[in-house]
Amino acid sequence: MQIFSYDWVGLFIAGFATLFLIGEVLVNMRGFFGILGLGFIIVYFSVYVEAESLILMLLMYFIGLILIVIDGKLLNDGTLSTIGAATMILSVALPAPSFIAGVYAVLGVMIGAASSFLFLKVFKRRSMWTKLTLKDQLTTEAGYISMNEAYHELLNKEGATITDMRPVGTIQIKGKEYSAITNGYWIPKGTTIRVVEVDGTKILVEQINNE
């Protein structure tokens, strides 16, 4: 089709593919966004990639997406997300018929990824993300009074990290272990920490600098 001869077309195809695929990961659309995203990315690679390389480019693209998901679910440190984003960008840039077309495709991936977070304002968020970011808080109104009181007693208490905080990890205070989070930075295992904030069952800690 003649429309695919225009360099800017890749911006929209790669953009919509990334928009819907990451959107499917973020919100519960029962696979609808996933099907749309898969359709767009298959069209993109079918147009610009020879048949023998189609599977390879698709694999690169989805490996990048999987790395982003793994980082969001398990690590939360941005390392795998960065590698995954770079892999997705490379997978759409390499098959582009020209440098300008490649730039458009890369912009499409970046804009689509950023725009996908707008779905969170409209559709129901997948529960796995709220659990991983410690947003599922047990409140007094919900009947978790004794647990909340126990957690609030930890405020200003000192302890130590028993796993790396990246930024989520496990701490130990007076022989008991708790899940905790830092204010966005890493704290290595075995570091002395202090609880600076407790919100429901979310425990925010900071490193104590021992001089």
Side-chain angles (χ1 to χ4, degrees):
M1 295 177 64
Q2 186 177 359
I3 191 172
F4 292 116
S5 63
Y6 297 104
D7 291 336
W8 51 263
V9 171
L11 170 68
F12 293 96
I13 302 177
F16 281 122
T18 306
L19 171 71
F20 289 119
L21 286 170
I22 295 183
E24 181 64 38
V25 173
L26 294 175
V27 298
N28 187 8
M29 289 300 295
R30 301 181 181 276
F32 178 67
F33 279 179
I35 293 172
L36 285 176
L38 183 62
F40 275 109
I41 199 61
I42 288 177
V43 168
Y44 178 85
F45 288 128
S46 298
V47 170
Y48 297 119
V49 179
E50 296 181 359
E52 58 269 20
S53 302
L54 177 61
I55 300 299
L56 177 61
M57 292 296 101
L58 279 171
L59 189 62
M60 282 184 61
Y61 183 89
F62 281 103
I63 285 176
L65 182 61
I66 290 169
L67 289 176
I68 293 174
V69 173
I70 291 174
D71 196 354
K73 289 183 65 176
L74 300 177
L75 300 181
N76 294 295
D77 63 12
T79 303
L80 288 185
S81 290
T82 302
I83 297 173
T87 303
M88 292 176 69
I89 288 172
L90 189 62
S91 71
V92 298
L94 287 177
S98 67
F99 175 78
I100 299 300
V103 171
Y104 274 122
V106 169
L107 285 174
V109 171
M110 297 172 66
I111 294 171
S115 300
S116 65
F117 288 92
L118 296 176
F119 288 138
L120 295 173
K121 299 182 179 293
V122 180
F123 302 105
K124 182 180 179 181
R125 180 192 300 261
R126 286 192 180 274
S127 59
M128 64 180 181
W129 299 113
T130 57
K131 291 177 182 178
L132 287 165
T133 54
L134 300 182
K135 291 182 180 178
D136 284 341
Q137 300 172 1
L138 303 178
T139 63
T140 301
E141 291 79 3
Y144 297 98
I145 299 175
S146 60
M147 180 173 288
N148 274 346
E149 290 177 350
Y151 273 59
H152 277 286
E153 289 177 357
L154 298 176
L155 191 62
N156 296 320
K157 293 291 193 300
E158 296 184 6
T161 58
I162 60 175
T163 66
D164 292 334
M165 308 286 292
R166 300 186 298 183
V168 180
T170 304
I171 62 172
Q172 186 176 72
I173 299 177
K174 294 184 176 180
K176 293 184 178 181
E177 298 180 3
Y178 303 91
S179 294
I181 188 170
T182 71
N183 195 19
Y185 51 87
W186 287 25
I187 298 179
K189 176 182 178 181
T191 302
T192 303
I193 51 86
R194 177 187 295 111
V195 177
V196 294
E197 182 181 332
V198 177
D199 181 6
T201 57
K202 175 183 174 181
I203 302 172
L204 182 67
V205 300
E206 67 177 9
Q207 180 176 349
I208 297 177
N209 295 319
N210 295 318
E211 300 182 355

